[in-house]
Amino acid sequence: MRLLLINPNISDSVSDLIRAEALRTAAPGTEIEVLTAPFGVAYIETRFEALIGAFATAQLAAEHHERYDAVIVAAFGDPGLTGLREALQIPVIGLTEAALASACLLGQRFSIVAISQRIRSWYLETVQAYGLDGRLASIRGLDEPLDIGHVQGNQGERLVQLAERCVDEDGADVIVLAGAPLAGLARSLRGRLPVPSVDGVSSAVRHAETLVALQPGHAIRGSFAQPPVKPNRGLTPELARLLNRGSNT
Amino acid sequence: MRLLLINPNISDSVSDLIRAEALRTAAPGTEIEVLTAPFGVAYIETRFEALIGAFATAQLAAEHHERYDAVIVAAFGDPGLTGLREALQIPVIGLTEAALASACLLGQRFSIVAISQRIRSWYLETVQAYGLDGRLASIRGLDEPLDIGHVQGNQGERLVQLAERCVDEDGADVIVLAGAPLAGLARSLRGRLPVPSVDGVSSAVRHAETLVALQPGHAIRGSFAQPPVKPNRGLTPELARLLNRGSNT
Amino acid sequence: MRLLLINPNISDSVSDLIRAEALRTAAPGTEIEVLTAPFGVAYIETRFEALIGAFATAQLAAEHHERYDAVIVAAFGDPGLTGLREALQIPVIGLTEAALASACLLGQRFSIVAISQRIRSWYLETVQAYGLDGRLASIRGLDEPLDIGHVQGNQGERLVQLAERCVDEDGADVIVLAGAPLAGLARSLRGRLPVPSVDGVSSAVRHAETLVALQPGHAIRGSFAQPPVKPNRGLTPELARLLNRGSNT
Amino acid sequence: MRLLLINPNISDSVSDLIRAEALRTAAPGTEIEVLTAPFGVAYIETRFEALIGAFATAQLAAEHHERYDAVIVAAFGDPGLTGLREALQIPVIGLTEAALASACLLGQRFSIVAISQRIRSWYLETVQAYGLDGRLASIRGLDEPLDIGHVQGNQGERLVQLAERCVDEDGADVIVLAGAPLAGLARSLRGRLPVPSVDGVSSAVRHAETLVALQPGHAIRGSFAQPPVKPNRGLTPELARLLNRGSNT
Amino acid sequence: MRLLLINPNISDSVSDLIRAEALRTAAPGTEIEVLTAPFGVAYIETRFEALIGAFATAQLAAEHHERYDAVIVAAFGDPGLTGLREALQIPVIGLTEAALASACLLGQRFSIVAISQRIRSWYLETVQAYGLDGRLASIRGLDEPLDIGHVQGNQGERLVQLAERCVDEDGADVIVLAGAPLAGLARSLRGRLPVPSVDGVSSAVRHAETLVALQPGHAIRGSFAQPPVKPNRGLTPELARLLNRGSNT
Amino acid sequence: MRLLLINPNISDSVSDLIRAEALRTAAPGTEIEVLTAPFGVAYIETRFEALIGAFATAQLAAEHHERYDAVIVAAFGDPGLTGLREALQIPVIGLTEAALASACLLGQRFSIVAISQRIRSWYLETVQAYGLDGRLASIRGLDEPLDIGHVQGNQGERLVQLAERCVDEDGADVIVLAGAPLAGLARSLRGRLPVPSVDGVSSAVRHAETLVALQPGHAIRGSFAQPPVKPNRGLTPELARLLNRGSNT
């Protein structure tokens, strides 16, 4: 099985974190490739940055998907996810939805611990778009300036404290450690938190393997069937080919 | 006052419909410009097409916004709207939110009449993202193949029938005629429908004028303040300048 | 265009504030008239006071609507609004729904800053009735005794502090300055608040002008068609005539 | 124990139905009085008619409440109910909330069978205001012209058919027979319906007796404390005295 | 009229509190019997304990229901309630739903004051299952170790303080004193709280009497009709007879 | 890894279907054991039957859990699941929540195809308890009498037709084939349905393996920590030991 993880950001250091956690998680026989967005920002905190990351992700997916069994959008907030799920005929999974799926199987209400204050609104809207706000206890974020490649090391204790407040003040049953820069943190905090904790990368790799194994089929009707073919213009050949369903543009 | 309407699609014929309705609606002294996406698809029916349209819109907005008092994202579904609202320091309005704002001032529950069956899921998710699904009576769509430039003429009677079913079977108090290809239809159906009807272009032009006139100020804190400056790469100079808040990249 | 604003309270000083802000807002050629309730209370904070204000508003609207293009119910909480929307065949707009419509076009979540603690429950129920509680960040109110005609001057600084807490603690993207006694405050606070702010009177005047301009038609079927004619008794001639649809009682 | 039932409509024939069912229901020792609105319409189907009925109810309650242990607003839709609950220091109950309370104790989801098509929107908004729309299976109404005093006799079979469709097509566990003109119908249909059924008058009488018996106390803080005293004008002496909390106007 | 109250816990001291409050509440002529679970835990705080209490309640109800007019599940959280409502052909009421029904007739938003911190999640899920979370202001609980038979005496002042915070900080209009160990507390606190308060036992006894008196009928179709007969094994003769609808197993 | 699947029903034929599908799904090295309830009914369609199945499941889990890495409650509706999740310190998963987790990763809205009409209410309440009703398109059920061991063979075509209606009439993006008697059907219908489909057993086995692999930790605080120790009586030694946290009873 071959999984493609697309980092919608330009940060190679974050891609390294993603790759390391994906490799620790993957089943024997699962091959992992991580691609980094050729354009965009260092990390996505806002709706506008997500819009850019979504397009970069779509571009990479269009170019590379054919050699893979599933695609993972490897940023919290899942930029471009539902669009790609229409366009591709293989499973596409996002870090947020994967982490929330794990969290929902471990408790009734979850909190999200995030890397900044600003990022909380974007995450809230992501949870709402999945219809899961009824199970969201809270979203708490760091309020220090970020060194994106070293947030786990520098802010580990502070992240634990935020998680404890989610449990004791907000009623969380499960902690979601959010954001690709925290990939692997759930693993290294094992035994430190008073409730189960999950992260996005490990959840996404496992759930992608599951969807490939279950062979649920893909949509040929309904809202996730491929978009109806219609004229297009000005796109890369790969995107155009995807929209044209493989025929030449 | 200068308003920029960005058609996120590549259809010049739809841009013409948008321009004509915008000019019919605008107050004396309001200047209207309509730009057409340089890349993308003929019309947006799905989440994937919207993702592409959002990026095209962002690109055009980044290039042109500085000479305008407000920007209108001129496709139903409002691709890229909330992202642009963060990035720009002038009002940004979408056709859907504008039409829904009008509809909510005319009745309690509204229905959306749309140009295709497939488009309904995307519209439903748009309404849900605005938290207005509690006021949505139904979404009904044409089920004929589309000739996008002539849908008003060819399908006018059928659209009236759909609207009547929304009123009589679904309990709609107001009809939203959805999609830029229907721009101006509310005007030409005046007196034909049993409840008030609104469209997106005329609503958006009026509401944009209102927001400019009210001078509500722009966000310097909160989730619609401009994204925090951070490294970026590979973007057009205009997008990069927007992210860098005007400083050189 | 002629707009009738009905103050559902007996406070002439508040009617003056309403008139002044309406005149500052109205487009050239829009005529403004403000009427004050002949019976009722000094300002509406509760459901019972709103019930009285609704009837006073209905009475005034029945007497005077025929000479106007639209009616504005000029109290927050919009007493009697949806009833009047059925009875009259011209647009009827309330301050709350108008301010919320503006706020929703400026951000995702709004807070309401109000003139008293007690008034918050009534406002909450108003927002819920519009199905917009999903976008409500908070309602905060002054806790000092009120001098209704001078609340802007005496409490201006305190209102700014409440607004800042709405942004920083509650996650508001937009501030709604609520209550006719605050009419014009958004204008005078321009540049003082960290997010966009709107008030009810200016929003209502603009949106009323918009609805008149759009000519959306009025309901002849559905729940906002005029009430079916049926026997009535003991009403003023104007109310009776409205219920009898213009025929003599 | 003395209960005051206020019919917000002018129909003496409906007051007779209400009185008869209230007397059949009341416990030994409970005295029943039914008053008919001195002004208003024959029956309330719409928001505007409810606004008028609310004021008439408030007027009667202000005049007469002092000699009673509880007040019942005896029209479905409960016009004026929450306002009166603030103003009076005794329990105030509406037919709708009473019937829904009974229904919720008998099953998970209820349907409302009503006397007209038009009335459904007003009832829907009433259920929503009580936060019970999650338990509402459907609202179905007669579509024949109404003879308000004889609807039970003329339309009995049709009402049974509507109830059966609520059960079999809409998933109702309980039927609410709505509207004062149907007072007593649940009793006469006993054994005819496939699920439990309740009506408003009998439920309201029983629940009023319960609240009087439980002596839960009344609010001196919170949103149902009496409205803060403030200037008023132009009201009847009884309403003014209520607002002035018993001091002279 | 004969009412059976089943205490799903093994605490005889709590059964005594339940019996005493039921007797104080019941109408003349109503006979009260309280049974204590033969197996289970001292009091129910969690979902797992509720699961056990539900089965014990079902067992007792199956054995004893035939001699009664209604059954009351006498623990907050209502373990087994909706199941029993299917199985029995008489009204079945739970303490929580009964207290909430009373609370909803006294105000718009209620808070629950409970005997422990841990119990709050179970209560929250109970309120959500009834679709009433829109009217829930808060749930607050004691944080001291519990002496279950003497909580009213030892913790009375603390419970009053919690109730006051519910009103002043959370916006509660009504206080629900939750948990069978608090049976009778609402009565003894009369006049001490700033808003109306209700408890479960007195509410359940009154509402059970009401449902018996209204004779609403029982379900023969829909989701509360008796479960379809199917093979069963290993149950007590009483449970088997109930499932077999009275025929021998 | 060792997984324990507990069939809460007494049907050995259904246990055989569960075991077969679990074995087809499990990863190499995963051991599967399926236990059948020693008491209960042939299959669970109602709340009362679920109450019994929950207790039987708890009993079996208490006896056997110590030799396993995770427990699966192998009936749709997940009887006893959240209770067991508190009591055990290993992952516990239900068929419904597992299938919904898979479905949510494959599309936005799912429909449930079930084995009877009656079972739909119980399933609806299960989906609501998980806060996922916002993503539920519909629940459709067979209306023929059931032969529980052969429903797949006898009713396969009818189940496909129901699924197609869910897609075309209800807007489903994914089909959940519900109920342990349908275990394996998703696999045998591969390629027959127009959208992805999932079932409960295969999803639960995969997700259980995932949770064991992720080692998220277990709750020592919050609402899924083990119930506080308190007196208990009359339980089997295994249940008592679980409540006493391993100390002797």
Side-chain angles (χ1 to χ4, degrees):
Chain A
M1 187 183 311
R2 295 171 56 87
L3 302 184
L4 171 61
L5 291 86
I6 300 175
N7 177 6
N9 301 307
I10 58 171
S11 299
D12 292 317
S13 65
V14 173
S15 293
D16 291 344
L17 289 168
I18 293 169
R19 185 180 298 105
E21 178 61 16
L23 289 170
R24 281 189 293 262
T25 305
T30 298
E31 295 177 45
I32 297 290
E33 182 163 4
V34 180
L35 296 178
T36 305
F39 59 89
V41 298
Y43 56 97
I44 298 177
E45 284 183 305
T46 74
R47 305 166 185 96
F48 189 60
E49 294 163 347
L51 176 164
I52 295 167
F55 190 72
T57 302
Q59 186 65 50
L60 283 176
E63 288 174 37
H64 297 278
H65 71 96
E66 287 175 354
R67 293 176 296 113
Y68 295 91
D69 297 293
V71 170
I72 292 172
V73 178
F76 238 73
D78 302 352
L81 174 68
T82 57
L84 280 171
R85 188 170 284 149
E86 294 171 354
L88 305 183
Q89 305 210 45
I90 53 175
V92 187
I93 289 189
L95 294 203
T96 301
E97 64 167 5
L100 301 194
S102 298
C104 287
L105 298 170
L106 290 163
Q108 185 65 16
R109 300 174 75 228
F110 56 82
S111 283
I112 298 176
V113 172
I115 58 174
S116 77
Q117 294 286 309
R118 176 63 187 267
I119 216 166
R120 294 176 303 154
S121 291
W122 179 43
Y123 284 0
L124 174 60
E125 292 174 17
T126 303
V127 174
Q128 289 173 329
Y130 294 145
L132 284 168
D133 35 323
R135 294 181 76 166
L136 178 68
S138 60
I139 305 176
R140 289 182 180 265
L142 293 171
D143 47 16
E144 313 268 324
L146 273 181
D147 176 358
I148 198 68
H150 302 86
V151 61
Q152 295 188 38
N154 298 344
Q155 302 280 344
E157 281 313 302
R158 181 69 183 124
L159 290 163
V160 170
Q161 289 164 15
L162 288 177
E164 299 225 334
R165 294 185 60 186
C166 292
V167 174
D168 296 331
E169 298 177 24
D170 307 331
D173 299 317
V174 186
I175 297 297
V176 176
L177 294 161
L182 299 188
L185 183 63
R187 190 180 297 269
S188 62
L189 290 184
R190 222 164 253 167
R192 297 279 313 281
L193 297 179
V195 298
S197 65
V198 295
D199 84 349
V201 172
S202 58
S203 291
V205 167
R206 287 287 321 189
H207 294 322
E209 291 175 338
T210 287
L211 294 190
V212 172
L214 293 178
Q215 294 182 258
H218 60 264
I220 56 174
R221 292 213 296 273
S223 85
F224 285 93
Q226 288 189 290
V229 175
K230 52 181 70 76
N232 64 68
R233 186 173 70 203
L235 300 169
T236 63
E238 295 83 2
L239 272 175
R241 192 170 63 226
L242 200 55
L243 288 168
N244 298 331
R245 300 198 187 174
S247 47
N248 290 329
T249 46
Chain B
M1 188 185 307
R2 295 170 58 86
L3 302 184
L4 172 62
L5 291 87
I6 300 176
N7 178 5
N9 302 306
I10 59 171
S11 300
D12 292 317
S13 65
V14 172
S15 293
D16 291 345
L17 288 168
I18 292 169
R19 185 180 299 105
E21 179 61 14
L23 289 170
R24 279 191 293 261
T25 305
T30 298
E31 296 177 43
I32 297 289
E33 183 163 3
V34 181
L35 296 178
T36 305
F39 59 89
V41 298
Y43 57 96
I44 299 176
E45 284 183 306
T46 75
R47 305 166 187 94
F48 189 59
E49 295 164 346
L51 176 165
I52 295 168
F55 190 71
T57 302
Q59 187 63 51
L60 283 176
E63 288 173 37
H64 298 279
H65 71 97
E66 287 175 353
R67 294 177 295 110
Y68 296 90
D69 296 293
V71 169
I72 292 172
V73 179
F76 238 74
D78 303 351
L81 174 69
T82 56
L84 280 171
R85 188 170 284 151
E86 293 170 355
L88 304 185
Q89 305 210 43
I90 52 175
V92 187
I93 290 190
L95 295 203
T96 301
E97 63 167 5
L100 300 193
S102 297
C104 286
L105 298 171
L106 290 162
Q108 184 66 16
R109 300 174 76 228
F110 56 82
S111 283
I112 298 176
V113 172
I115 59 174
S116 78
Q117 293 287 309
R118 177 61 187 269
I119 216 166
R120 293 176 304 154
S121 291
W122 180 43
Y123 284 0
L124 174 60
E125 293 174 17
T126 303
V127 174
Q128 289 173 328
Y130 294 146
L132 284 168
D133 35 323
R135 295 181 75 166
L136 179 67
S138 60
I139 304 177
R140 289 181 179 267
L142 293 171
D143 48 14
E144 312 270 324
L146 273 181
D147 176 356
I148 198 68
H150 302 85
V151 62
Q152 295 188 37
N154 298 343
Q155 301 280 343
E157 281 313 303
R158 181 69 183 124
L159 290 163
V160 170
Q161 289 164 15
L162 289 177
E164 299 224 334
R165 293 185 61 186
C166 292
V167 174
D168 295 332
E169 298 178 25
D170 308 330
D173 299 317
V174 186
I175 298 298
V176 176
L177 294 162
L182 299 188
L185 183 63
R187 191 180 296 269
S188 63
L189 290 182
R190 222 164 254 166
R192 296 281 313 281
L193 297 179
V195 298
S197 64
V198 294
D199 84 348
V201 172
S202 57
S203 291
V205 167
R206 286 288 320 189
H207 294 322
E209 291 175 337
T210 288
L211 294 189
V212 173
L214 292 179
Q215 295 184 257
H218 61 265
I220 56 174
R221 294 213 295 274
S223 85
F224 285 93
Q226 287 189 291
V229 175
K230 53 180 69 75
N232 64 69
R233 186 173 70 202
L235 300 168
T236 63
E238 295 84 3
L239 271 175
R241 194 170 62 227
L242 200 56
L243 287 167
N244 297 331
R245 299 199 188 174
S247 46
N248 290 330
T249 46
Chain C
M1 187 184 309
R2 295 170 58 84
L3 302 184
L4 171 62
L5 291 86
I6 300 176
N7 178 5
N9 301 308
I10 59 171
S11 299
D12 292 317
S13 64
V14 173
S15 294
D16 292 343
L17 288 167
I18 293 168
R19 186 179 297 107
E21 179 61 15
L23 289 170
R24 280 189 294 261
T25 306
T30 298
E31 295 177 45
I32 298 290
E33 183 163 4
V34 181
L35 297 178
T36 306
F39 59 89
V41 298
Y43 57 97
I44 298 177
E45 283 184 306
T46 75
R47 305 166 185 96
F48 189 59
E49 294 163 347
L51 176 164
I52 295 168
F55 190 71
T57 302
Q59 187 64 51
L60 283 176
E63 287 173 38
H64 297 279
H65 71 96
E66 288 176 354
R67 293 175 296 113
Y68 294 92
D69 296 293
V71 169
I72 293 172
V73 178
F76 238 73
D78 302 352
L81 174 70
T82 57
L84 281 171
R85 188 170 284 150
E86 294 171 354
L88 304 184
Q89 305 210 44
I90 52 175
V92 187
I93 290 190
L95 295 203
T96 301
E97 64 166 5
L100 301 194
S102 297
C104 287
L105 297 171
L106 290 162
Q108 185 65 17
R109 300 174 76 228
F110 56 81
S111 283
I112 297 176
V113 172
I115 59 174
S116 78
Q117 292 288 308
R118 177 62 187 268
I119 215 166
R120 293 176 305 154
S121 292
W122 178 43
Y123 284 0
L124 174 60
E125 293 173 17
T126 302
V127 174
Q128 290 174 328
Y130 294 145
L132 284 168
D133 35 323
R135 295 181 76 166
L136 179 68
S138 60
I139 304 177
R140 289 181 181 265
L142 294 172
D143 47 15
E144 313 270 323
L146 272 181
D147 176 356
I148 197 68
H150 302 86
V151 62
Q152 295 189 37
N154 297 344
Q155 301 280 344
E157 282 313 303
R158 181 70 183 124
L159 290 163
V160 170
Q161 289 164 15
L162 288 177
E164 299 225 334
R165 294 185 60 185
C166 291
V167 174
D168 295 332
E169 299 178 24
D170 308 330
D173 298 316
V174 187
I175 298 297
V176 175
L177 294 162
L182 299 188
L185 183 64
R187 191 180 297 269
S188 62
L189 290 183
R190 222 165 252 166
R192 297 280 313 282
L193 297 178
V195 298
S197 65
V198 295
D199 84 348
V201 171
S202 57
S203 291
V205 167
R206 287 286 321 188
H207 294 323
E209 290 175 337
T210 288
L211 294 189
V212 173
L214 293 177
Q215 295 182 257
H218 61 264
I220 56 174
R221 293 214 295 273
S223 85
F224 285 93
Q226 288 188 291
V229 175
K230 54 181 68 75
N232 64 67
R233 186 173 71 204
L235 300 169
T236 64
E238 295 84 3
L239 272 175
R241 193 169 63 226
L242 200 56
L243 289 167
N244 297 332
R245 300 198 187 176
S247 48
N248 291 330
T249 46
Chain D
M1 188 184 308
R2 296 171 57 86
L3 302 184
L4 172 61
L5 292 87
I6 300 176
N7 178 4
N9 302 307
I10 59 170
S11 299
D12 292 317
S13 64
V14 173
S15 293
D16 291 344
L17 288 168
I18 293 168
R19 185 179 299 106
E21 179 61 14
L23 288 170
R24 280 189 294 262
T25 305
T30 297
E31 295 177 44
I32 297 289
E33 183 163 2
V34 181
L35 296 178
T36 306
F39 59 89
V41 299
Y43 57 96
I44 298 177
E45 283 183 306
T46 74
R47 305 166 186 96
F48 189 59
E49 295 164 346
L51 176 165
I52 295 168
F55 190 71
T57 302
Q59 187 64 50
L60 282 176
E63 287 173 38
H64 297 278
H65 72 95
E66 287 176 353
R67 294 176 296 111
Y68 295 91
D69 297 294
V71 169
I72 293 172
V73 178
F76 239 72
D78 302 352
L81 174 69
T82 56
L84 280 172
R85 188 169 285 149
E86 294 170 355
L88 304 185
Q89 304 211 44
I90 52 176
V92 187
I93 290 190
L95 294 203
T96 301
E97 64 166 5
L100 300 193
S102 298
C104 286
L105 298 170
L106 290 162
Q108 184 66 16
R109 299 174 76 230
F110 56 82
S111 282
I112 298 176
V113 173
I115 59 175
S116 78
Q117 293 287 310
R118 177 63 188 267
I119 215 166
R120 294 176 303 154
S121 292
W122 179 44
Y123 284 0
L124 174 60
E125 293 174 17
T126 302
V127 174
Q128 290 174 328
Y130 293 146
L132 284 168
D133 35 323
R135 296 182 75 166
L136 178 68
S138 60
I139 305 176
R140 289 181 181 266
L142 294 172
D143 47 16
E144 313 269 323
L146 273 181
D147 176 357
I148 198 69
H150 301 87
V151 62
Q152 294 188 37
N154 298 345
Q155 301 279 344
E157 281 314 302
R158 181 70 183 124
L159 290 163
V160 170
Q161 289 164 15
L162 288 178
E164 299 224 333
R165 294 185 61 186
C166 292
V167 174
D168 295 332
E169 299 178 24
D170 308 330
D173 299 317
V174 186
I175 297 297
V176 176
L177 295 161
L182 299 188
L185 184 64
R187 191 180 296 270
S188 62
L189 290 183
R190 221 165 253 166
R192 297 280 313 280
L193 297 178
V195 298
S197 64
V198 295
D199 83 350
V201 171
S202 57
S203 291
V205 167
R206 286 288 319 190
H207 294 323
E209 291 175 337
T210 288
L211 294 189
V212 173
L214 293 177
Q215 295 183 257
H218 60 264
I220 56 173
R221 293 214 296 273
S223 86
F224 285 93
Q226 287 188 289
V229 175
K230 53 180 70 74
N232 65 67
R233 186 173 70 203
L235 300 168
T236 63
E238 294 84 3
L239 272 175
R241 193 169 63 227
L242 201 55
L243 288 167
N244 297 332
R245 300 199 187 174
S247 47
N248 290 330
T249 47
Chain E
M1 188 185 309
R2 295 170 59 87
L3 302 184
L4 172 61
L5 291 87
I6 300 176
N7 177 5
N9 301 307
I10 60 171
S11 300
D12 293 316
S13 65
V14 173
S15 293
D16 292 343
L17 288 168
I18 294 169
R19 185 180 298 105
E21 178 61 14
L23 289 170
R24 278 190 294 262
T25 306
T30 297
E31 295 177 44
I32 298 289
E33 183 163 3
V34 180
L35 296 177
T36 305
F39 60 88
V41 297
Y43 57 96
I44 299 176
E45 283 184 306
T46 75
R47 305 166 186 96
F48 189 59
E49 295 164 346
L51 176 165
I52 295 168
F55 190 71
T57 302
Q59 187 64 49
L60 282 177
E63 287 174 39
H64 297 278
H65 71 97
E66 288 176 352
R67 294 176 295 111
Y68 295 91
D69 297 293
V71 169
I72 292 172
V73 179
F76 238 74
D78 302 351
L81 174 69
T82 57
L84 280 171
R85 187 170 285 151
E86 294 171 353
L88 305 185
Q89 305 210 44
I90 52 175
V92 187
I93 289 190
L95 295 203
T96 302
E97 63 167 5
L100 300 193
S102 298
C104 287
L105 298 171
L106 290 162
Q108 184 66 15
R109 300 174 75 228
F110 55 83
S111 283
I112 297 176
V113 172
I115 58 175
S116 78
Q117 293 288 308
R118 177 62 186 269
I119 216 166
R120 293 175 304 154
S121 292
W122 179 42
Y123 284 0
L124 174 60
E125 293 175 16
T126 303
V127 174
Q128 290 174 328
Y130 294 145
L132 284 169
D133 35 324
R135 294 182 75 166
L136 179 67
S138 61
I139 304 177
R140 290 182 179 265
L142 292 172
D143 48 15
E144 313 268 325
L146 273 181
D147 176 356
I148 198 68
H150 302 86
V151 62
Q152 295 188 39
N154 298 344
Q155 301 279 344
E157 282 312 304
R158 181 70 183 122
L159 291 162
V160 170
Q161 289 164 15
L162 288 177
E164 299 225 334
R165 293 186 61 186
C166 292
V167 174
D168 295 332
E169 299 178 23
D170 308 331
D173 299 316
V174 186
I175 298 298
V176 176
L177 294 161
L182 299 187
L185 184 63
R187 190 180 296 269
S188 62
L189 289 182
R190 220 165 255 167
R192 296 281 313 281
L193 297 178
V195 297
S197 65
V198 294
D199 85 347
V201 172
S202 57
S203 291
V205 167
R206 286 287 322 189
H207 294 322
E209 291 176 336
T210 288
L211 294 189
V212 173
L214 292 178
Q215 295 182 259
H218 61 264
I220 56 174
R221 294 213 295 274
S223 85
F224 285 93
Q226 288 189 290
V229 175
K230 54 180 69 74
N232 64 68
R233 187 173 69 203
L235 300 168
T236 63
E238 295 84 2
L239 272 175
R241 193 170 61 225
L242 200 55
L243 288 167
N244 297 332
R245 300 198 188 175
S247 47
N248 290 329
T249 45
Chain F
M1 189 184 309
R2 295 172 56 85
L3 302 185
L4 172 61
L5 291 87
I6 301 176
N7 177 4
N9 302 306
I10 60 172
S11 300
D12 292 317
S13 65
V14 173
S15 293
D16 292 343
L17 288 168
I18 292 169
R19 185 181 297 105
E21 178 62 14
L23 289 169
R24 280 189 295 261
T25 306
T30 298
E31 295 177 45
I32 297 289
E33 182 163 3
V34 181
L35 296 178
T36 306
F39 59 90
V41 298
Y43 56 98
I44 298 176
E45 283 183 305
T46 74
R47 304 166 187 97
F48 189 60
E49 295 163 346
L51 177 165
I52 295 168
F55 191 71
T57 302
Q59 186 63 51
L60 282 175
E63 288 173 36
H64 298 277
H65 71 97
E66 287 176 353
R67 293 176 296 111
Y68 295 90
D69 297 293
V71 169
I72 293 172
V73 178
F76 238 73
D78 302 351
L81 174 68
T82 56
L84 280 170
R85 187 170 285 150
E86 294 170 355
L88 305 183
Q89 305 210 44
I90 53 176
V92 187
I93 290 190
L95 294 203
T96 301
E97 64 166 6
L100 300 193
S102 298
C104 287
L105 297 170
L106 290 162
Q108 185 66 16
R109 300 174 75 227
F110 56 82
S111 283
I112 298 175
V113 172
I115 60 174
S116 77
Q117 293 287 309
R118 177 63 187 267
I119 216 166
R120 294 175 303 153
S121 292
W122 179 43
Y123 284 0
L124 174 60
E125 293 174 17
T126 303
V127 174
Q128 290 173 328
Y130 294 145
L132 285 169
D133 35 323
R135 294 181 76 166
L136 178 68
S138 60
I139 304 176
R140 289 181 180 266
L142 294 171
D143 47 17
E144 313 269 323
L146 273 180
D147 176 357
I148 198 69
H150 302 85
V151 62
Q152 293 188 39
N154 297 345
Q155 301 280 345
E157 281 314 303
R158 181 70 183 124
L159 289 163
V160 170
Q161 289 164 15
L162 288 177
E164 299 225 333
R165 293 185 61 187
C166 292
V167 174
D168 295 333
E169 298 178 24
D170 308 330
D173 299 318
V174 186
I175 297 297
V176 176
L177 294 161
L182 299 187
L185 183 63
R187 191 180 295 270
S188 62
L189 290 183
R190 221 164 252 167
R192 297 279 314 280
L193 297 179
V195 297
S197 64
V198 296
D199 84 349
V201 171
S202 58
S203 290
V205 167
R206 286 287 321 189
H207 295 321
E209 291 175 336
T210 287
L211 294 190
V212 173
L214 293 178
Q215 295 181 258
H218 61 264
I220 56 173
R221 293 214 294 275
S223 85
F224 285 93
Q226 288 188 290
V229 175
K230 54 181 68 75
N232 64 68
R233 186 173 71 203
L235 300 169
T236 64
E238 295 83 4
L239 272 175
R241 193 170 62 227
L242 200 55
L243 288 168
N244 298 331
R245 301 199 186 175
S247 47
N248 291 328
T249 44

